[in-house]
Amino acid sequence: MALFLHFGPNTFTNTEWGSGHADPSVFAPMDLNVTQWVNVAKENGFSRVILTAKHHDGFCLWPSDYTDYSVKSSSWKNGSGDVVGELAEAAAKAGIQLGLYLSPWDRHEKVYGKTVEYNEYYMGQMTELLTRYGEVKEVWLDGAKGEDEKDMEYFFDDWFSLIHQLQPGAVIFSDAGPDTRWVGDEAGYASKTCWSLFNRSDATIGGTDTKYSQQGDPYGHDWVPPECDVSIRPGWFWHTDEVPKSALTLLDLFYKSVGRNCLLLLNVPPNSSGLISDKDIEVLREFTKLRSFIFSHNIAENAVLSVSSTRGGLNDSRFDSYNVLEEGIHSYWAPGKDQSSWVLYLDFPDLATFNILLVQEPIQMGQRIIKFHLDILNKKGEWQKVAEGTTVGYRRLLLFPEVETHGVRLVIDKSRADPLISYLGIFRDPFTNTNNVHSTNVVPKLDFKYRLFSKIQTKLLRWLQSSV
């Protein structure tokens, strides 16, 4: 997960797309504290922060040598401030990665619309950002532009070459990559089928087919994993009359982004004081509590594991089935080569109750699984399907109506190559009403337990809120 920080004159003028003509003096965050932003990210499990160094209004949050429309013309710190610099320092100190957004669309700069001049201007500002502030892990840009705006050709390939030259470790985000791609919506949801594989030749910035962006391409020649960008509030910039989404809504977004092989890029905009609002922090802390409660114990650890086959036989621990209980992608279970059946069994000594399956592939070996399903042993001793999915990738989370059983099997139905599993998790989420989740041939727990669900959920949420 990464934290998006939309901040600038729009924060003070109550707008989303600034005109580019707001007086720089409106930018006046009297209590700005970027260390608070970074701490909020770190405390809630976000490993990266991405700042809107320049949004569409053209106002720069660093003292650019290419324009006076920046913090050096504002009343903040008498024009001597540098938001980008302060954030870079705070992030480095906390061990949080830094990302920067430099909008191609600039509603203030006079040379915008003059192709060569503006491309030189943009690359000059990009050079400032990527040479002044230490390591930058992500450069974020898009094709947003108003309908009646000047015609403008962007030299994207030149920009990408410059970025990779100045910051070799940075990934570049856009609608079409080259390194990471937009998922195709701003709702924060990925498709249930989501390949990191992609054909960049079939995509253009600002004109890529949404369905193609969401699903990726199993035959793609490029590795371009998707990001799900969404705001914690209705708008991208802070507005005094807006309230954040609930923690349960963020949990649902987590399942449908991180749980579908994507990075969740959650926008949490600082307010006009220069701080992340208390209401947003409260929701983030509750969201963190929910994730911690649900994923703190892997029920699969209580099981005895067996598999349909193991590469190298039982004496080769490199590919042992128990590797799936170790978190991370660098150890994994590998079945024997050229097998027609790929199954992993879990036998529980006591009755296990759960409603979440987590599967992870060692993606350094490629994204392989095309289709899989989960079975449980019912009371008759028969295997019955409770959940099914398509792609896995870095992480896949499946929710289904709560079940209880002594036995589970994960079946890989189809794979591009011999399937590899690096991590397998079985968890219980008592907060999400998974009874409404569609599943095939599910064997639910007894009905009277379902009738207690809303009461239990209410009590658990109250407990979480009281402990935030």
Side-chain angles (χ1 to χ4, degrees):
M1 299 190 299
L3 210 64
F4 218 170
L5 300 162
H6 275 65
F7 189 58
N10 295 350
T11 307
F12 304 87
T13 59
N14 198 35
T15 54
E16 284 289 301
W17 280 7
S19 66
H21 302 295
D23 192 313
S25 64
V26 303
F27 184 78
M30 293 298 99
D31 298 315
L32 186 138
N33 185 347
V34 296
T35 299
Q36 184 232 25
W37 305 356
V38 170
N39 288 342
V40 168
K42 188 171 185 176
E43 291 167 3
N44 292 287
F46 295 84
S47 58
R48 181 178 302 171
V49 292
I50 301 177
L51 174 68
T52 55
K54 184 187 80 169
H55 204 253
H56 311 324
D57 60 359
F59 186 86
C60 300
L61 295 184
W62 79 100
S64 174
D65 294 335
Y66 290 85
T67 181
D68 290 328
Y69 200 56
S70 73
V71 287
K72 65 185 178 185
S73 297
S74 73
S75 57
W76 177 60
K77 292 192 173 183
N78 296 317
S80 62
D82 184 345
V83 182
V84 176
E86 289 189 19
L87 181 62
E89 183 178 352
K93 186 175 181 180
I96 295 294
Q97 298 173 357
L98 176 67
L100 297 172
Y101 170 61
L102 185 67
S103 171
W105 183 25
D106 191 320
R107 304 186 75 181
H108 176 83
E109 178 52 42
K110 293 180 180 178
V111 299
Y112 186 86
K114 299 178 180 179
T115 297
V116 174
E117 289 90 334
Y118 182 73
N119 274 276
E120 290 177 346
Y121 174 85
Y122 185 90
M123 293 177 72
Q125 291 196 322
M126 183 67 77
T127 300
E128 289 180 331
L129 289 174
L130 301 186
T131 57
R132 293 182 180 180
Y133 301 109
E135 186 176 19
V136 176
K137 294 300 291 185
E138 182 167 353
V139 175
W140 214 91
L141 54 93
D142 56 23
K145 188 168 68 171
E147 292 182 2
D148 299 325
E149 190 51 80
K150 301 171 186 175
D151 186 33
M152 180 73 223
E153 180 185 355
Y154 301 133
F155 295 167
F156 286 118
D157 288 340
D158 292 335
W159 298 359
F160 298 159
S161 295
L162 176 69
I163 294 166
H164 282 151
Q165 176 185 344
L166 298 177
Q167 291 282 346
V171 295
I172 303 172
F173 168 96
S174 80
D175 300 20
D179 303 315
T180 181
R181 73 180 193 266
W182 185 43
V183 78
D185 63 62
E186 292 184 346
Y189 295 162
S191 171
K192 291 180 180 179
T193 296
C194 190
W195 293 97
S196 293
L197 294 162
F198 195 71
N199 273 331
R200 288 187 56 212
S201 59
D202 293 337
T204 57
I205 298 175
T208 304
D209 177 70
T210 299
K211 187 175 180 180
Y212 188 69
S213 296
Q214 290 173 337
Q215 295 189 357
D217 190 340
Y219 304 104
H221 298 292
D222 305 302
W223 185 265
V224 191
E227 289 187 13
C228 293
D229 59 325
V230 62
S231 184
I232 196 172
R233 289 167 171 254
W236 289 92
F237 285 88
W238 177 84
H239 304 289
T240 186
D241 59 340
E242 292 183 351
V243 296
K245 295 175 170 63
S246 70
L248 280 175
T249 298
L250 295 188
L251 181 63
D252 182 60
L253 289 170
F254 179 85
Y255 287 136
K256 294 174 180 177
S257 57
V258 175
R260 293 178 179 173
N261 187 42
C262 293
L263 179 141
L264 172 60
L265 178 56
L266 181 65
N267 180 62
V268 182
N271 60 29
S272 56
S273 295
L275 300 169
I276 293 177
S277 299
D278 290 342
K279 290 181 179 179
D280 296 21
I281 293 175
E282 183 179 351
V283 169
L284 288 172
R285 286 176 176 169
E286 188 176 340
F287 172 45
T288 301
K289 278 275 190 179
L290 288 168
R291 299 194 326 274
S292 177
F293 187 95
I294 294 165
F295 296 105
S296 59
H297 173 62
N298 184 0
I299 299 171
E301 294 176 356
N302 302 327
V304 176
L305 273 64
S306 59
V307 290
S308 53
S309 66
T310 300
R311 186 172 302 172
L314 297 177
N315 296 324
D316 195 337
S317 61
R318 292 177 301 166
F319 306 118
D320 191 89
S321 61
Y322 279 86
N323 287 336
V324 303
L325 298 181
E326 296 181 12
E327 292 191 53
I329 61 175
H330 298 294
S331 61
Y332 52 88
W333 164 62
K337 293 185 177 180
D338 302 320
Q339 300 293 307
S340 59
S341 176
W342 306 303
V343 188
L344 197 152
Y345 300 90
L346 289 81
D347 183 22
F348 296 100
D350 300 310
L351 206 61
T353 303
F354 54 90
N355 56 3
I356 297 177
L357 169 69
L358 186 157
V359 187
Q360 190 171 30
E361 291 182 275
I363 55 171
Q364 73 275 18
M365 306 294 288
Q367 191 178 357
R368 301 178 175 219
I369 296 173
I370 297 173
K371 186 179 180 182
F372 67 99
H373 72 270
L374 185 73
D375 294 336
I376 66 166
L377 276 176
N378 64 17
K379 294 178 180 179
K380 296 180 181 180
E382 300 170 337
W383 289 114
Q384 289 194 279
K385 187 186 297 184
V386 295
E388 57 188 358
T390 52
T391 48
V392 174
Y394 181 72
R395 182 176 293 131
R396 184 65 191 269
L397 290 165
L398 285 184
L399 277 72
F400 44 88
E402 193 169 278
V403 296
E404 53 186 17
T405 184
H406 279 287
V408 170
R409 69 177 183 184
L410 175 67
V411 181
I412 310 301
D413 300 298
K414 190 176 182 181
S415 186
R416 298 173 66 242
D418 291 334
L420 308 173
I421 304 294
S422 59
Y423 188 61
L424 176 69
I426 301 289
F427 302 95
R428 180 171 179 260
D429 175 356
F431 309 101
T432 303
N433 186 357
T434 55
N435 301 332
N436 295 326
V437 176
H438 175 73
S439 189
T440 305
N441 297 324
V442 70
V443 182
K445 295 177 68 178
L446 298 177
D447 288 343
F448 79 90
K449 293 185 179 179
Y450 285 166
R451 291 196 294 270
L452 292 175
F453 175 81
S454 61
K455 292 182 179 180
I456 294 172
Q457 183 192 46
T458 300
K459 288 182 179 180
L460 283 169
L461 285 173
R462 286 176 178 172
W463 171 78
L464 280 167
Q465 290 167 345
S466 66
S467 61
V468 168

